[in-house]
Amino acid sequence: MSASASRNTSSGLPTTSGGALPALIALAFLLGTIALLWWGFLFQRDLQADTASQAPQIVTVALAIVWGVGGMALLFTTANFFVEQLPNAWMQRLQPLIFVGPAMLILVWALALPTIRTFILSLYDANSVTFIDIQNYLGVFTDSSMLVVFRNNLLWILFGTIPTVSLGLLIAVLADRSRFETLAKALIFMPMAISFVGAGVIWNFVYAVKPADAPQIGLLNFLWVPIGGAPQAWTAFFQPWNNFFLVLIVVWLQTGYAMVLFSAAIKGISSEILEAARVDGATELQVFFQIMIPQIMGTIITVSTTIIIFTLKIFDVVIVMTGGQYGTSVIATEFYRQYFTYNNNGYGSAIAIILFIAVVPVMAYNLRQFAQREVF
């Protein structure tokens, strides 16, 4: 059987590997496409750099879309066409790379290279000129203000994750037995539609404080003052307890997310198992703790690790509510302050690397859970 008449055993479709000339033609198309994309990149770079050209912004945007979307489609098409002209053995080796390759390149470009560069910067001084090895890391772990930052992140992990998971699970169980299940879940899930910044603005009104002789516009002080309390700046005083007023915002936002996943997992439990347990005399608490919890343990772990990652990276809520002042700074806000406010590139990069190292094990554990449950 000739090469052109051979069939792909995995799909049953005929392959088109047809010799050297078609492969060379396909290679020429592929190289031409790469050259065209590179020329388009240089053209757009020069167009934006040349202020005298004054090209309308809409034209620049249209060109970028055509170059980006159209270029990637053309590159994929020509690369796939070239691979299909190769012998079957090479085609089967290279074709998966055509699909996965662009995503891997973007991952390397957008994640791996910036991480390596940030790590290198963390070994230099504030101006990124003098190599000072691990001095920035020693400073991070010995600076008293950074110890407060680590303490705050620990508070966020504990008191952000445990209440969110517990409330989400409790509401999921109760809502499933209610006649108003849809309405109740919609109300609990609604805060998920709000961004962290938007939630911070909303809760700024809840915690707002005015002088004692002025009307209180903050909800909490509006309830607190009539029962004899003095107006309080809830997010500024009572350190470190003021962190809990910020953690409450994330609990409010993420409980709906946890509830939806728990509700779906609970509905996946066989009703025959639950009924059999009740017929055998099991109480509702026994059914909950001895049947439901073990059945949805994978979901509980996944939700918990996801929220831990959220709380490790928390930034928006803190920066909007307090700007990281009053003993509320966390790792992400301290990184922002050191790197962009104080221009201390080395110290800020060291904080960023520590945050990255803290998140990676949790992320890896989460991905492992996904793999065990054959999510992907």
Side-chain angles (χ1 to χ4, degrees):
M1 181 181 293
S2 66
S4 59
S6 64
R7 301 183 71 85
N8 187 326
T9 55
S10 62
S11 63
L13 297 175
T15 59
T16 56
S17 52
L21 182 59
L24 289 175
I25 294 174
L27 179 61
F29 276 117
L30 176 60
L31 295 177
T33 301
I34 295 174
L36 180 63
L37 287 174
W38 181 247
W39 175 82
F41 168 75
L42 296 178
F43 175 76
Q44 291 187 81
R45 185 194 63 181
D46 296 341
L47 185 65
Q48 293 185 9
D50 185 9
T51 55
S53 66
Q54 296 182 345
Q57 189 173 12
I58 185 66
V59 174
T60 305
V61 172
L63 285 175
I65 293 175
V66 170
W67 176 80
V69 179
M72 290 302 105
L74 183 62
L75 180 62
F76 169 77
T77 303
T78 54
N80 189 55
F81 178 63
F82 168 67
V83 169
E84 287 183 342
Q85 308 312 310
L86 300 176
N88 286 340
W90 281 101
M91 185 186 74
Q92 291 178 3
R93 290 192 192 102
L94 296 178
Q95 204 160 40
L97 298 178
I98 300 298
F99 292 94
V100 179
M104 295 299 295
L105 287 176
I106 292 173
L107 191 64
V108 170
W109 181 263
L111 180 62
L113 292 181
T115 302
I116 294 172
R117 186 173 184 275
T118 303
F119 175 71
I120 294 173
L121 286 177
S122 70
L123 303 177
Y124 283 79
D125 66 350
N127 299 318
S128 305
V129 174
T130 305
F131 182 76
I132 57 172
D133 54 64
I134 61 170
Q135 293 303 313
N136 286 320
Y137 291 94
L138 294 177
V140 168
F141 287 108
T142 55
D143 187 351
S144 58
S145 63
M146 281 304 300
L147 297 181
V148 172
V149 167
F150 292 137
R151 179 206 64 191
N152 291 341
N153 265 96
L154 186 61
L155 291 176
W156 275 90
I157 291 173
L158 291 176
F159 297 99
T161 303
I162 295 175
T164 301
V165 173
S166 302
L167 284 174
L169 183 58
L170 179 64
I171 294 171
V173 173
L174 295 179
D176 283 344
R177 301 183 177 197
S178 171
R179 290 187 302 150
F180 306 102
E181 175 185 353
T182 304
L183 177 62
K185 288 182 176 177
L187 292 174
I188 299 297
F189 190 72
M190 195 174 294
M192 278 292 293
I194 303 171
S195 68
F196 280 89
V197 174
V201 173
I202 292 172
W203 282 80
N204 257 325
F205 286 108
V206 175
Y207 296 141
V209 58
K210 293 291 182 182
D213 56 348
Q216 297 298 320
I217 63 170
L219 177 62
L220 203 53
N221 277 313
F222 178 78
L223 299 173
W224 177 251
V225 172
I227 61 175
Q232 302 291 339
W234 303 98
T235 57
F237 299 144
F238 315 115
Q239 300 177 22
W241 311 112
N242 55 343
N243 284 281
F244 291 106
F245 292 105
L246 307 185
V247 174
L248 181 61
I249 300 172
V250 170
V251 174
W252 177 67
L253 284 172
Q254 296 297 319
T255 297
Y257 160 77
M259 175 203 66
V260 169
L261 294 184
F262 289 145
S263 180
I266 290 172
K267 289 181 183 299
I269 300 174
S270 170
S271 58
E272 296 176 353
I273 296 176
L274 299 177
E275 289 301 322
R278 291 180 178 121
V279 169
D280 289 343
T283 65
E284 289 303 317
L285 285 177
Q286 289 174 323
V287 170
F288 177 74
F289 285 107
Q290 297 180 18
I291 296 179
M292 285 186 176
I293 294 295
Q295 290 280 334
I296 65 171
M297 184 55 71
T299 305
I300 293 175
I301 292 173
T302 301
V303 171
S304 301
T305 51
T306 303
I307 295 175
I308 287 174
I309 293 171
F310 280 150
T311 53
L312 273 172
K313 300 188 301 179
I314 193 70
F315 174 80
D316 319 58
V317 170
V318 178
I319 208 72
V320 169
M321 295 294 292
T322 64
Q325 302 179 79
Y326 317 118
T328 61
S329 186
V330 290
I331 296 177
T333 57
E334 193 62 25
F335 155 70
Y336 179 84
R337 179 185 300 173
Q338 292 291 339
Y339 200 99
F340 295 105
T341 303
Y342 302 149
N343 291 322
N344 192 344
N345 298 339
Y347 199 80
S349 298
I351 296 174
I353 290 296
I354 291 170
L355 177 60
F356 177 75
I357 293 173
V359 170
V360 164
V362 185
M363 182 72 76
Y365 181 78
N366 213 1
L367 293 175
R368 185 180 177 187
Q369 290 296 317
F370 284 145
Q372 289 178 349
R373 297 166 59 192
E374 298 182 350
V375 175
F376 54 76

